[in-house]
Amino acid sequence: MTALSGVVVHWHAEADLAQLLSAWPQDQRFELIVVNNGSRAPLNLPSARVLEPLRNLGFAGGANLGIAAACAPIVVLLNPDACPEPGALDALLDAFETYPETAGLAPRLLGRDGRPQHTWQLRPLPTPTQLLLQAFLISTVRGPRIEPRPGTPVEQPAAAALALRKSALAMIADSAGSVLDAEFFPAWFEDVDLARRLAEAGYKLRYCPSATFRHGLGGSVPVLGYGVFLLAYYRNLHRYLRKHHGPSAALALRCLLPLGALARFLLLPFRRPLRASSRREAARALMGLAREAVRGFGDGRAGGADGAVLG
């Protein structure tokens, strides 16, 4: 009987996916589903089920497809660069037995250098003020400085590796059966939205450090391009604010973003954004972001790229 289904949303990350496949245990209790949003060549993965949606569904849409296809009562959402350590999947099953009321478990994420990622991974749900400060590239939403104890409730764990009960997901799914909001396209803020909806429905997520995954912290931005990333990130932030905090919060972001983009533009001679390949690329991206904010943002699926999946 299948006890746990891993759902990997893949987009042009073949090297990471190969490492994940080699780390996935060859155990009939654990199936692995790969949703192929885009690859450089056809995927030949005999140890996994490959779903080919024929177009890029984004992270949320791809995850929905994988969740619907999963045979197990437990699904683990995974980025291609998140690999389970030996015993991690069994540890997740044991923890779900220990906490029968919990809707999901956040495993322990370690970087490839062995450093814990809990300050990035285990964050509280953001307030509107914290989200608006991101217009000025000020991030105040961080996880605990000290790694939490096993079973500690976590409000908003990252979806780079996140185990969830399908029974809880079914309770917050829409009328079409979709769990994650695919309008957060191609990625970013779909996991924040999911965590908020689970919390509003009365469900808890807990930390499970006995299940360890190695995580590379994403690698799609260089392929996607800094400009498309910036537009997608802030368009989805705008949508999240409007959805959960009302139109006035979304309008405030649109007013602040041109000011924030200008401030960052003026700082370019002294500080180049790490995600940008050059100051010129960063300048073009910031001007495009300010322009789109003034216009009110458009369709989240626009942008001239076939999308991306990031953790």
Side-chain angles (χ1 to χ4, degrees), residues 59 77-82 109 120 157-162 191 213 215 310-311:
F59 180 85
L77 301 182
L78 290 169
N79 282 356
D81 61 351
L109 293 187
W120 166 84
L162 181 60
D191 53 349
F213 286 67
H215 180 227
L310 274 245

Side-chain angles (χ1 to χ4, degrees), residues 20 96 138 150 153 171 183 272:
L20 172 54
F96 274 113
I138 300 173
M171 299 303 294
E183 293 302 314
R272 174 178 63 84

